[in-house]
Amino acid sequence: MSILIKNGRIITATDDYTADIFVEGETISTIGNNLKMEADTVIDASGKLVIPGGIDPHVHLEMPFMGAFSSDNYETGTLAALHGGTTTVIDFVIQSQGKSLYQALREWQGRANGNVFCDYAFHIAVTDFNPQTQLEIKDLIEQEGISSFKTFMAYKGALMIDDRQMVGLMNEVKKHGGMVTVHATNGDIIDYLVAKNKAAGNLTPLYHYLSQPEITETEATGRFIDMAFQTDSNAYIVHVTCEGALNKVREANKRNQKIFAETCIQYLVLDASVYERGFESAKWVMSPPIREKKDQKALWAAINQGIVQTLATDHCPFMWDDKLKGKDDFTKIPNGAPGIEHRMELIFSEGVNKGKISLNKMVDITAASSAKIFGMFPKKGTIAVGSDADIVIFNPDTKHTLSATTHHHHCDYSAYEGHEVTGKAETVVLRGSVAIDKGSVKIQKGYGEFIKRSKLTNII
Ligand code: URP
Ligand code: ZN
Ligand code: ZN
């Protein structure tokens, strides 16, 4: 099969030019002006942006968490991703404490295999680092192509590891060419504040927000960075939300560390006023919580300064019935919100259209940097001869309104209900096949491939 994409404005993390793209099989074979090849499909991209398929480096599909499963499974979640122009997602396999990493991997593979629409990879969350777990790291990197390991500094008793485990893991992962990533918030301070609020009868979703103040993220981010310094490791911080944490990354840069930071679209476009809506605020109960306007300003600046390299969603939707479990106690509200479909259009609409970031920066944070940091570049994350033909033809003028009535998430509410955006993924090509065309799905479930990633020793 072949596709000829004509006259599009091609944007990569570094380039911006008009040309034609010829796709043969799964990869891009030629880029040039006035290409005359015969093709099975010809797409006129005049007036459109032609950008690399998005990579969302942080999603939770069908994840067992806080007494429920995140409501998008591999089928619905990856289809929603494609509708929004994201062609690769990195999901988290989560070890159960007391069990092995491979047991968790097999469980996650069992849910994903044959059900995935877009391409995908796994990080593995290590929740119990011990002499047995230690032995599994090498094979996971070298045999399975899973080179990044997530850790939690919060959610004590379920996911959290202590600092001794953290440095042990960092040393082992580094030895085999992988990288440790972290949910950096101080679990003990949060647990203390949660208990204090509960004792005082403060049980509404607002107290989820008030139990995780900025300092809990700032402190843990700094401590994690110090552990990376001590072990001489590169490291990555997921869902950075606030000015204090960003300043810790700045300090790390000053002492010549290589610390990567991710933020998520919700932290750029929503502010803490979402917690002033009574129990409706449960829609935005996530960890860390949505922050202040001053943090949004700091995040946009950090993107432009290269302090934040990647943009994710932390997509982790729960049905409203599951959120209702916390009607009388915010600690029972499953943490997480939907967003996998909206990342690309929101960053274009709120970032590029409003003059906050350039188009090149948009491609960098939505695709190129994740591919580089997580060992998938140049197969993914760019438009170049030999790269996978993961291409989005993006209409910069399409206006639409985000809503649970039109989104493709399997979730009965939207975190962005009524939000008006300009720009939309119109045609999405995944490995040389048109996957989505003007809202119609053109591929079958199971088309998505697992991406084995390389070691992360010589990344950007
Ligand atoms: O609230 C969130 N973010 N839920 C998903 C798990 C995590 O902490 O990333
Ligand atoms: Zn997290
Ligand atoms: Zn997460």
Side-chain angles (χ1 to χ4, degrees):
M1 295 296 283
S2 57
I3 305 175
L4 183 59
I5 302 169
K6 298 282 293 174
N7 298 316
R9 181 176 167 196
I10 299 170
I11 316 283
T12 68
T14 47
D15 302 311
D16 182 346
Y17 59 101
T18 298
D20 303 341
I21 299 173
F22 187 60
V23 172
E24 261 179 310
E26 297 197 347
T27 56
I28 296 170
S29 78
T30 314
I31 302 176
N33 290 316
N34 301 313
L35 298 184
K36 301 276 184 256
M37 287 90 160
E38 290 285 317
D40 299 308
T41 305
V42 178
I43 299 171
D44 179 12
S46 316
K48 315 275 167 65
L49 305 175
V50 177
I51 58 178
I55 300 174
D56 188 338
H58 186 159
V59 306
H60 302 278
L61 301 173
E62 212 175 336
M63 176 176 75
F65 191 48
M66 296 182 73
F69 273 84
S70 55
S71 58
D72 261 317
N73 60 22
Y74 288 89
E75 178 180 345
T76 60
T78 57
L79 192 51
L82 280 175
H83 276 286
T86 289
T87 50
T88 303
V89 298
I90 316 184
D91 187 52
F92 292 85
V93 171
I94 315 243
Q95 178 195 18
S96 292
Q97 291 180 342
K99 295 189 180 168
S100 74
L101 298 174
Y102 261 93
Q103 268 172 291
L105 176 60
R106 298 297 176 230
E107 193 189 318
W108 258 256
Q109 285 171 331
R111 285 197 282 271
N113 278 349
N115 292 321
V116 185
F117 273 95
C118 73
D119 283 359
Y120 68 108
F122 286 138
H123 309 280
I124 293 207
V126 180
T127 64
D128 188 1
F129 185 67
N130 57 47
Q132 285 76 42
T133 324
Q134 184 169 351
L135 296 174
E136 298 181 277
I137 301 289
K138 181 174 190 288
D139 279 355
L140 287 165
I141 296 173
E142 292 180 359
Q143 309 302 322
E144 311 296 337
I146 298 176
S147 39
S148 45
F149 296 84
K150 167 85 172 287
T151 57
F152 291 89
M153 296 169 82
Y155 304 116
K156 201 171 193 167
L159 304 175
M160 179 170 154
I161 60 170
D162 62 25
D163 295 351
R164 184 176 172 169
Q165 292 180 77
M166 184 73 86
V167 289
L169 178 67
M170 281 177 170
N171 276 318
E172 188 64 21
V173 165
K174 181 184 146 192
K175 192 158 93 190
H176 302 293
M179 184 167 63
V180 173
T181 78
V182 72
H183 169 129
T185 60
N186 183 314
D188 283 322
I189 300 182
I190 293 168
D191 289 348
Y192 171 79
L193 293 173
V194 165
K196 193 172 159 200
N197 276 315
K198 283 184 74 164
N202 296 327
L203 298 169
T204 63
L206 172 66
Y207 290 93
H208 170 82
Y209 165 68
L210 293 174
S211 299
Q212 299 202 31
E214 179 175 1
I215 192 68
T216 59
E217 188 176 334
T218 305
E219 186 283 331
T221 302
R223 183 158 37 99
F224 175 78
I225 287 170
D226 284 346
M227 289 186 274
F229 183 75
Q230 201 280 328
T231 58
D232 193 20
S233 302
N234 299 339
Y236 179 100
I237 305 165
V238 308
H239 54 38
V240 175
T241 70
C242 60
E243 193 179 10
L246 292 168
N247 285 337
K248 293 292 180 184
V249 181
R250 288 193 172 94
E251 285 168 24
N253 287 348
K254 281 198 223 160
R255 64 181 181 190
N256 306 316
Q257 283 185 260
K258 212 187 241 187
I259 299 293
F260 303 105
E262 163 199 289
T263 193
C264 300
I265 190 68
Q266 60 271 30
Y267 299 116
L268 291 169
V269 306
L270 301 174
D271 67 64
S273 61
V274 296
Y275 298 114
E276 294 167 358
R277 300 194 193 178
F279 190 73
E280 196 205 344
S281 300
K283 290 175 185 170
W284 300 280
V285 164
M286 63 183 78
S287 295
I290 303 292
R291 302 275 187 207
E292 306 288 320
K293 285 203 188 312
K294 63 112 182 146
D295 298 300
Q296 291 181 340
K297 196 171 166 198
L299 286 168
W300 285 112
I303 288 172
N304 280 318
Q305 292 160 355
I307 302 286
V308 165
Q309 289 86 15
T310 62
L311 182 73
T313 57
D314 194 5
H315 177 75
C316 189
F318 291 96
M319 290 304 224
W320 189 242
D321 263 357
D322 284 323
K323 291 279 187 181
L324 278 174
K325 289 176 188 159
K327 186 106 191 67
D328 303 314
D329 176 355
F330 70 88
T331 64
K332 297 196 168 56
I333 302 169
N335 287 202
I340 204 168
E341 180 174 356
H342 302 315
R343 183 181 64 124
M344 306 282 279
E345 55 204 20
L346 277 170
I347 195 69
F348 179 78
S349 196
E350 297 291 326
V352 177
N353 258 357
K354 293 190 176 169
K356 292 191 170 84
I357 60 168
S358 68
L359 271 169
N360 296 117
K361 184 57 96 173
M362 168 176 154
V363 170
D364 192 16
I365 62 173
T366 58
S369 280
S370 284
K372 289 175 188 167
I373 291 169
F374 291 116
M376 296 186 279
F377 194 84
K379 177 179 169 66
K380 304 287 188 192
T382 194
I383 292 181
V385 171
S387 293
D388 279 3
D390 297 349
I391 300 169
V392 177
I393 291 107
F394 191 90
N395 189 327
D397 302 317
T398 306
K399 290 188 193 308
H400 57 124
T401 304
L402 307 186
S403 170
T405 59
T406 48
H407 72 193
H408 297 86
H409 302 140
H410 181 59
C411 188
D412 47 5
Y413 58 88
S414 170
Y416 303 97
E417 189 65 45
H419 197 111
E420 288 174 10
V421 294
T422 302
K424 193 170 176 37
E426 195 166 280
T427 305
V428 180
V429 177
L430 172 58
R431 272 182 296 101
S433 292
V434 173
I436 304 287
D437 191 31
K438 298 182 187 73
S440 302
V441 182
K442 304 289 182 191
I443 54 170
Q444 305 292 319
K445 176 174 92 168
Y447 182 80
E449 263 183 9
F450 179 74
I451 307 297
K452 281 192 172 188
R453 296 180 287 118
S454 65
K455 292 191 179 189
L456 307 180
T457 31
N458 279 318
I459 49 177
I460 43 182

